[in-house]
Amino acid sequence: MYSIIVVPPPTTEDETNRTQLRIAPGERITFGRSVSDNDLAIAHDGVSRRAGEITAQGAFWILSNLSREQTYVVENPEGAGEHIKVGPGRLDAPVPFEFSRIVLPAAGDLLAIEVWAPRHDYRSAGGLDGATTAPAFSLDRTKRYFAVLAALCEPRLRGEPHAPLPTVDQVVDRLRPTWAAASRTSVQWNIDYLAVKLRLKPAPETADTGPRLNGKKESLVSLALRFDLVREDDLVVLRDTSSASSASSSGRAAR
């Protein structure tokens, strides 16, 4: 069963129908300027004759950099600037991204090899007795606070990994069409509530006196994107927040 799909840099011949090479667990593809017919040839003078190898390992893959001088960057196009670097001569570097882009510096050009790892392996559900494990993060997608969190994450989920976060006023404007009562006070209250709920700061009754948490919005968005608490699919709540109820520690609606 194939588990890894490799898409070479586009050429004029396949701009509309990109070539795809499929490899099964244990198989490998060597890429470079001068490789065998069964491997991935890249016709560019700036690419080493044997530049690297991609090896399928079950549901993920590893990259070996066979060049002597060039560092390769493996990007996660779906992440907020997430990437790893594989230095010259590094062998068997595991790549954790489901969709990746290997960027090869080549004499002033940057060539991209796309690698997809669409296969997912899961353990079968067991019939274990006893109490269930508590979720790491308990978020209710029907609550106002989740709409606020989605609005904060939206710029970076829309493909701008380094986009500045929206201000409180911008979040209010984003939510007001479907949440007429949205205000600076209510949005800030929900941000404060999220910081407590996601354990970025203690609850007011247990907090020590001292300065407010710095970078609260940045910390919330970083945590949400790192652990997939908000995905691009969740942005639908920004179009349907009118029926969402707000959260509070006592279950009352947010102000």
Side-chain angles (χ1 to χ4, degrees):
M1 175 183 179
Y2 297 115
S3 63
I4 305 299
I5 302 172
V6 180
V7 183
T11 64
T12 54
E13 288 78 16
D14 61 9
E15 282 181 349
T16 59
N17 187 19
R18 299 283 298 277
T19 301
Q20 294 185 5
L21 307 176
R22 299 170 182 262
I23 55 177
E27 295 180 345
R28 68 181 57 195
I29 287 178
T30 301
F31 59 89
R33 193 173 76 250
S34 178
V35 294
S36 67
D37 292 340
N38 295 327
D39 291 314
L40 172 54
I42 303 176
H44 195 294
D45 292 341
V47 176
S48 300
R49 289 189 294 273
R50 292 182 72 247
E53 288 182 343
I54 296 169
T55 305
Q57 295 283 346
F60 71 101
W61 58 282
I62 57 178
L63 173 65
S64 293
N65 183 347
L66 304 181
S67 72
R68 295 182 178 180
E69 298 179 354
Q70 299 293 350
T71 293
Y72 300 156
V73 174
V74 185
E75 301 174 338
N76 176 12
E78 299 177 321
E82 193 175 17
H83 69 278
I84 61 174
K85 295 191 291 186
V86 182
R90 169 78 188 276
L91 301 179
D92 299 337
V95 178
F97 314 136
E98 180 177 335
F99 174 37
S100 307
R101 181 186 296 122
I102 306 173
V103 181
L104 309 178
D109 295 325
L110 294 177
L111 305 180
I113 301 173
E114 295 177 0
V115 184
W116 307 337
R119 177 181 136 187
H120 296 170
D121 292 340
Y122 299 96
R123 68 182 294 270
S124 58
L128 299 178
D129 297 328
T132 58
T133 303
F137 304 101
S138 179
L139 292 176
D140 187 338
R141 283 165 168 73
T142 68
K143 303 295 186 181
R144 294 284 192 204
Y145 67 73
F146 188 80
V148 171
L149 183 59
L152 289 173
C153 295
E154 184 179 26
R156 296 184 182 179
L157 284 172
R158 294 293 190 192
E160 301 180 35
H162 303 294
L165 298 185
T167 65
V168 171
D169 287 334
Q170 289 172 328
V171 172
V172 171
D173 291 340
R174 183 71 178 90
L175 298 176
R176 187 164 284 164
T178 50
W179 179 14
S183 65
R184 283 183 55 85
T185 301
S186 59
V187 167
Q188 187 61 58
W189 185 93
N190 278 279
I191 291 174
D192 291 338
Y193 174 75
L194 281 163
V196 174
K197 186 173 182 63
L198 297 179
R199 304 181 182 90
L200 295 179
K201 62 178 294 187
E205 61 272 14
T206 61
D208 295 331
T209 58
R212 292 168 62 88
L213 180 68
N214 291 325
K216 188 184 303 180
K217 291 191 299 180
E218 184 69 44
S219 297
L220 284 172
V221 171
S222 176
L223 181 72
L225 296 182
R226 188 183 311 127
F227 291 100
D228 286 337
L229 305 185
V230 181
R231 303 171 184 265
E232 189 170 359
D233 291 348
D234 292 319
L235 297 182
V236 68
V237 301
L238 300 178
R239 300 193 298 270
D240 187 24
T241 58
S242 58
S243 61
S245 60
S246 177
S248 71
S249 57
S250 62
R252 294 176 299 176
R255 298 189 299 271

